[in-house]
Amino acid sequence: MADHINGSLTQSRPLVRSNNSRMILVQIFVALFLGINTTLLAVLFLKEIHYTTMRYILFAVTLISDSVILLFSNILLIYSYYDINIQIWSCILFCVLLSIYSFVTPVNLTAMTLERYVAICMPLRHATLCTLRSTVNAILIIHCLSSIPSLVILSLLFASTSLSFYRRYSICSFNMLIIHRWQGHLRSAISQFYFLVMLVTIVFSYVKIMRVAKAASGEDRKSSLRGLRTVALHGFQLLLCLIQLWCPFIEMAVLQIDFRLFIDVRFFNYILFMLVPRCLSPLIYGLRDEKFCQSLKHCILGGFHRKQRFQISHVRK
């Protein structure tokens, strides 16, 4: 899933480096989203309800996962842009980490959707099913499921290469982990199976919550409709992640036609299918959540008032 992050920059270096404005734009986006995610994570630890409630903990996992992807994909992008070679074993660590957390985000979205399904469709069982212990177990399961595709690829790589392969220096790309074409097809099949299961889960939850929303009234109806919109946004995020699976195949096909067009398509894919899904999480579970939004306002306004008091006391002195 991280193939298009670094791709084929080894070709036509002057052409790639001529797009300095794009590189600067990517750095601004990455810095902005990392700053937002860091702020939201800090707010999550201000009140006990945020780090003892399942949906907020899963939201924190999403923020951490998105931040890891943004940070390490950007590092590989910079390495590739400036033609920096690293040892292949280091590249493998980068790629495996990116691959795992590329799956953690959508799998975690599915878990958050199921939490909303339980809260709205089975409210009496929500307190017993979504405990702190269940949340910890869910996080472990999410990471285990997300690690399976990487373990399969690594096992095939270790079986196909010698020890000297890992001591070489090269531009880091996930394609280095795919020795045979059928390994790429296997990886794609596993990814599509995962996303099919997650898509079915989100659609099932959406339909169930929609039925409850139609039958509810008053505050229950408002809560159900809010949950319905949240699940719909999760589905949109998952769709973007699913399209991201096909980006490497599209880019390789475009590369056979025109390298200049390949650069444009790869930049478009990186912005739309890598950065955009990572900025939706703060909007879905950050600014749209009333309790969290109040905590965020309190944190920002509290910091502003403290700054004012410090400035006033400093002037008086």
Side-chain angles (χ1 to χ4, degrees), residues 10-228:
T10 52
Q11 303 180 41
S12 302
R13 289 289 170 184
L15 177 60
V16 175
R17 290 180 182 169
S18 65
N19 296 315
N20 288 324
S21 58
R22 292 184 179 181
M23 188 64 176
I24 293 171
L25 183 63
V26 168
Q27 298 310 306
I28 292 172
F29 274 127
V30 170
L32 177 63
F33 295 151
L34 284 175
I36 292 172
N37 288 355
T38 303
T39 302
L40 296 182
L41 282 170
V43 173
L44 280 170
F45 289 96
L46 286 178
K47 291 187 177 180
E48 186 179 354
I49 188 174
H50 292 153
Y51 53 83
T52 57
T53 305
M54 186 176 198
R55 60 174 174 168
Y56 293 120
I57 297 173
L58 292 178
F59 174 46
V61 171
T62 301
L63 290 175
I64 293 170
S65 173
D66 290 345
S67 298
V68 168
I69 292 172
L70 287 172
L71 180 62
F72 285 96
S73 67
N74 193 52
I75 290 173
L76 290 187
L77 184 69
I78 292 171
Y79 279 175
S80 185
Y81 186 81
Y82 289 105
D83 204 7
I84 299 174
N85 294 328
I86 63 174
Q87 265 192 315
I88 290 180
W89 67 266
S90 301
C91 176
I92 290 174
L93 293 178
F94 272 109
C95 293
V96 168
L97 190 66
L98 275 173
S99 178
I100 290 173
Y101 279 96
S102 292
F103 277 96
V104 165
T105 294
V107 174
N108 195 63
L109 286 176
T110 308
M112 294 169 78
T113 299
L114 290 174
E115 187 275 333
R116 287 295 83 198
Y117 164 74
V118 172
I120 294 169
C121 299
M122 298 185 289
L124 298 178
R125 299 187 61 189
H126 183 264
T128 55
L129 290 176
C130 300
T131 61
L132 189 60
R133 183 174 181 179
S134 299
T135 304
V136 174
N137 291 334
I139 293 171
L140 291 175
I141 292 171
I142 287 168
H143 282 78
C144 287
L145 289 174
S146 302
S147 301
I148 291 175
S150 298
L151 291 176
V152 172
I153 296 300
L154 275 181
S155 300
L156 295 173
L157 176 68
F158 293 153
S160 306
T161 55
S162 61
L163 189 60
S164 60
F165 171 78
Y166 307 100
R167 296 172 181 167
R168 299 175 189 170
Y169 285 82
S170 178
I171 296 292
C172 188
S173 169
F174 199 94
N175 291 326
M176 296 171 61
L177 276 62
I178 308 298
I179 305 299
H180 305 289
R181 181 173 293 182
W182 63 267
Q183 293 175 336
H185 295 323
L186 176 62
R187 175 170 167 266
S188 179
I190 294 172
S191 300
Q192 292 180 56
F193 172 75
Y194 267 61
F195 278 94
L196 178 63
V197 172
M198 289 185 282
L199 188 63
V200 169
T201 303
I202 288 180
V203 170
F204 168 81
S205 301
Y206 184 87
V207 172
K208 289 290 185 180
I209 294 173
M210 185 169 58
R211 289 179 180 175
V212 172
K214 287 183 178 179
S217 59
E219 289 298 320
D220 289 340
R221 183 176 177 81
K222 289 181 181 179
S223 176
S224 299
L225 289 173
R226 193 181 301 116
L228 197 64

Side-chain angles (χ1 to χ4, degrees), residues 223-273:
S223 176
S224 299
L225 289 173
R226 193 181 301 116
L228 197 64
R229 287 192 292 269
T230 301
V231 173
L233 287 170
H234 283 170
F236 178 65
Q237 275 186 291
L238 189 64
L239 177 63
L240 292 178
C241 293
L242 183 61
I243 295 173
Q244 183 185 343
L245 274 176
W246 295 97
C247 288
F249 301 103
I250 296 171
E251 290 166 9
M252 288 302 103
V254 172
L255 182 60
Q256 303 301 319
I257 302 171
D258 182 64
F259 186 78
R260 204 178 277 271
L261 180 62
F262 164 75
I263 294 297
D264 293 335
V265 170
R266 196 163 64 93
F267 176 76
F268 174 81
N269 288 342
Y270 184 82
I271 295 293
L272 190 61
F273 303 123

